[in-house]
Amino acid sequence: MIITVSLNPALDKTARVDVMRPNSLNRLEDVRLDAGGKGVNVSAMIQTLGGNSMAAGFAGGGAGDELLARIAGQGLAHDFVRIASVTRTNLKLVDKGGSLTELNEPGPEITAEEYEALEKKLLGFGTKGNFFVLSGSLPRGLQKDTYKKLCALLRKNGAAVFLDADGEALEKALTSIGTEVPDFIKPNRFELLKLFNMEDRETSETVLIQLCKQLLERGVSLVCLSMGPEGALFVNPQGTWRSPALPVKVQSSVGAGDSMVGALVYGFEKGLGAEACFALAMAASAGACTTEGTRPPSPDLVNELLKQVKLQKIN
């Protein structure tokens, strides 16, 4: 079973502008509203591929009601903890060149009792043999080491954990060694370099791979490094694979990383080989770039793109 966890979900409002003009009036077009939150996006991708998952997290207020209604409308199984504070709404603006500007609210205030209710719920799903996807930012009220604590708790009870977070939340989750760190992580290039207090001054692929391998030494089983138009690197104890980005017409990159995570965890649960999982992740991510808002690509598009994926084992 796959359980996706969105600690700070949102209603995602996506709109188009001709050209972003700071300090001026910008008229929006093609406005759409989606159930957001990285874990929700992951569940949607899993569903597209024919799999099943349980989406969990926090939801509060009228925005929370709308969030859950839209999740249900997508046919996604879900079990959220209702909270007193109001779920956030995020605005994502895409200009005609495909550039994305995101305006994200900080999120609701989570009480200790609400967090304990979610933790109890996650353990109630059962852990042994299950996959948990923990992704996204942390709402107010939760400590920066929340993902670290959840990783240790879930892995101790026999679950595999995929973490897609950034900043201090990711850094703290990787400070332990062995079974307390996440099994799988998906940083982007900027997030990886930030972990090691490095600046991106045309950092070579060799250096990026070395940094990924240092994370393996802490107990991580797979580092999936997304690099936008440069493609992705997949590093595990068996080797390193390079995969160039697929040439697609980009509508919006929103949710592309979540689709990559969804495809990976779907492949892991189905017992696919490593290279099959990596290829599926590349196809799903590229497909997501062709859709508006946070919608996942169609199964037919993923299958078509899958034929175009190139994987090269480089060591």
Side-chain angles (χ1 to χ4, degrees), residues 36-60:
K38 295 175 72 63
V40 175
N41 298 339
V42 170
S43 282
M45 187 69 244
I46 293 169
Q47 180 189 63
T48 291
L49 295 173
N52 297 301
S53 68
M54 176 65 70
F58 298 114

Side-chain angles (χ1 to χ4, degrees), residues 32-110:
R32 60 175 294 121
L33 193 64
D34 295 298
K38 295 175 72 63
V40 175
N41 298 339
V42 170
S43 282
M45 187 69 244
I46 293 169
Q47 180 189 63
T48 291
L49 295 173
N52 297 301
S53 68
M54 176 65 70
F58 298 114
D65 293 338
E66 182 68 20
L67 172 76
L68 296 181
R70 289 181 177 271
I71 291 173
Q74 293 177 249
L76 299 176
H78 60 283
D79 192 355
F80 277 59
V81 172
R82 299 310 302 261
I83 58 175
S85 192
V86 179
T87 295
R88 61 184 179 150
T89 298
N90 294 334
L91 178 60
K92 303 175 186 298
L93 303 176
V94 183
D95 67 24
K96 65 180 181 181
S99 296
L100 171 68
T101 299
E102 298 187 76
L103 304 172
N104 291 350
E105 296 180 4
E109 184 86 25
I110 306 300

Side-chain angles (χ1 to χ4, degrees), residues 225-286:
L225 180 65
S226 57
M227 301 185 295
E230 297 178 35
L233 291 171
F234 300 90
V235 184
N236 69 17
Q238 286 71 51
T240 300
W241 289 259
R242 176 197 299 123
S243 186
L246 296 175
V248 296
K249 183 178 180 179
V250 177
Q251 294 288 337
S252 169
S253 60
V254 177
D258 303 328
S259 289
M260 176 175 278
V261 171
L264 281 172
V265 71
Y266 167 83
F268 295 151
E269 189 201 33
K270 295 300 180 184
L272 302 182
E275 292 193 357
C277 290
F278 303 158
L280 187 61
M282 293 300 297
S285 179

